[in-house]
Amino acid sequence: AIDTLRWTDSGMIYAWSGLNSLVVGQAGEDTFGITGFIPRRNELGIAKRDALYVITSSENPTPSYRTVNEGIGLIAPESVVVQSDIAYFLGEDGVYRWTGEGITLISEAKVHPWFTTSDTFNRSAFDTAVGWWDQDEKAYKLLLPATGQTTLNRWVAYYPEQDIWLGPHLTGAFTPSYGLVLEDADDLALPCLASTTGFIWKKQATRTDDTATAIDFDVTTQFLSGQTPDIEKVWLQPSVISKIEAAGTLTITPTVGGLGASAGT
């Protein structure tokens, strides 16, 4: 009965009445059925892989639901995060945002290939993805398996206020198994990662690895075409503004030519 939603009586988590059930969508339409729940405001979203519904009544004898969207659904139940009445979740072709104004594919404009090709992540294991909200950075973060792998050793981050994506990041000190938010002794949010070895790792203030080594990273800037890619141009001297650091090496590698041009020092 994978298409059947069941619930207990109010305040009676042990009482599973046979009357408290509702077939959501078309029974037998796929082999997955209901894939997860998205509680947003006073609505309870019931998701399948290709559709999203909302329960409108749980009163017997006629419980009911309405359709929010056909064609958009939830593939990873653990990817659901609700923050400030906004729900984020992973569908088959990317990360969606559900607000009072509807459902939007927020990954399409900037990182669509991450979720629609096999170049970055193992799409066949998307159903294992895990999402959480980083209160410190005000970001939705998502653990995903890299191409050819099944472990959740990569993660990406979406920052709604700036509308930017960062990643994919690799956690090399351990293999993550889950992302979660705990509370410290002062009752403050504490974003953490759980590892496959049974330990929980918390964030630290410095941007180093779990000891004191600076983390190397690459940044590819936007290609400069001047909105007219078919004419020749002269960009002359590039300028770079960066924060003053006590130590480290910054290497700038310019590329001139088409998108397939080889980079040269």
Side-chain angles (χ1 to χ4, degrees):
I2 58 176
D3 301 291
T4 302
L5 174 68
R6 302 183 185 277
W7 60 93
T8 69
D9 290 325
S10 179
M12 303 172 65
I13 61 174
Y14 53 84
W16 294 86
S17 170
L19 298 176
N20 296 347
S21 65
L22 174 65
V23 176
V24 180
Q26 296 295 321
E29 60 186 343
D30 59 30
T31 59
F32 303 98
I34 296 173
T35 55
F37 304 95
I38 309 176
R40 193 186 69 85
R41 288 188 177 177
N42 59 345
E43 296 182 321
L44 177 60
I46 310 298
K48 290 189 171 184
R49 285 206 166 190
D50 295 306
L52 181 61
Y53 310 93
V54 166
I55 297 299
T56 54
S57 174
S58 61
E59 299 296 328
N60 293 315
T62 56
S64 59
Y65 67 90
R66 65 177 173 85
T67 302
V68 176
N69 199 295
E70 292 278 2
I72 297 175
L74 169 67
I75 191 173
E78 297 296 339
S79 69
V80 175
V81 171
V82 180
Q83 177 68 24
S84 300
D85 296 328
I86 300 175
Y88 302 89
F89 62 92
L90 178 62
E92 292 183 345
D93 58 346
V95 175
Y96 286 86
R97 177 171 55 201
W98 180 23
T99 68
E101 298 179 353
I103 301 175
T104 306
L105 180 59
I106 59 176
S107 59
E108 183 176 27
K110 299 182 179 180
V111 292
H112 199 51
W114 282 1
F115 304 100
T116 56
T117 71
S118 299
D119 296 337
T120 308
F121 301 117
N122 181 1
R123 298 180 66 200
S124 63
F126 268 6
D127 58 336
T128 65
V130 174
W132 75 100
W133 181 261
D134 190 322
Q135 189 71 27
D136 297 336
E137 301 179 19
K138 292 182 171 49
Y140 170 71
K141 296 186 175 181
L142 188 66
L143 281 170
L144 295 157
T147 299
Q149 302 183 28
T150 56
T151 56
L152 300 173
N153 59 353
R154 298 291 193 279
W155 55 276
V156 298
Y158 174 67
Y159 296 80
E161 293 183 0
Q162 296 83 18
D163 190 27
I164 60 173
W165 288 86
L166 295 181
H169 306 289
L170 168 66
T171 298
F174 58 93
T175 301
S177 61
Y178 207 81
L180 67 162
V181 180
L182 303 177
E183 293 178 349
D184 62 15
D186 297 319
D187 201 30
L188 300 176
L190 185 66
C192 297
L193 282 176
S195 72
T196 55
T197 56
F199 292 91
I200 295 179
W201 298 66
K202 67 178 182 179
K203 289 174 58 177
Q204 60 186 31
T206 57
R207 293 298 185 257
T208 60
D209 61 17
D210 58 314
T211 55
T213 304
I215 300 174
D216 295 331
F217 67 97
D218 298 328
V219 176
T220 301
T221 62
Q222 179 181 3
F223 291 100
L224 298 176
S225 66
Q227 307 303 320
T228 54
D230 294 332
I231 64 174
E232 294 183 359
K233 316 171 192 62
V234 178
W235 295 109
L236 301 178
Q237 178 177 321
S239 61
V240 178
I241 301 175
S242 67
K243 177 183 176 181
I244 297 177
E245 302 287 352
T249 301
L250 172 66
T251 301
I252 302 175
T253 306
T255 301
V256 179
L259 298 182
S262 299
T265 303

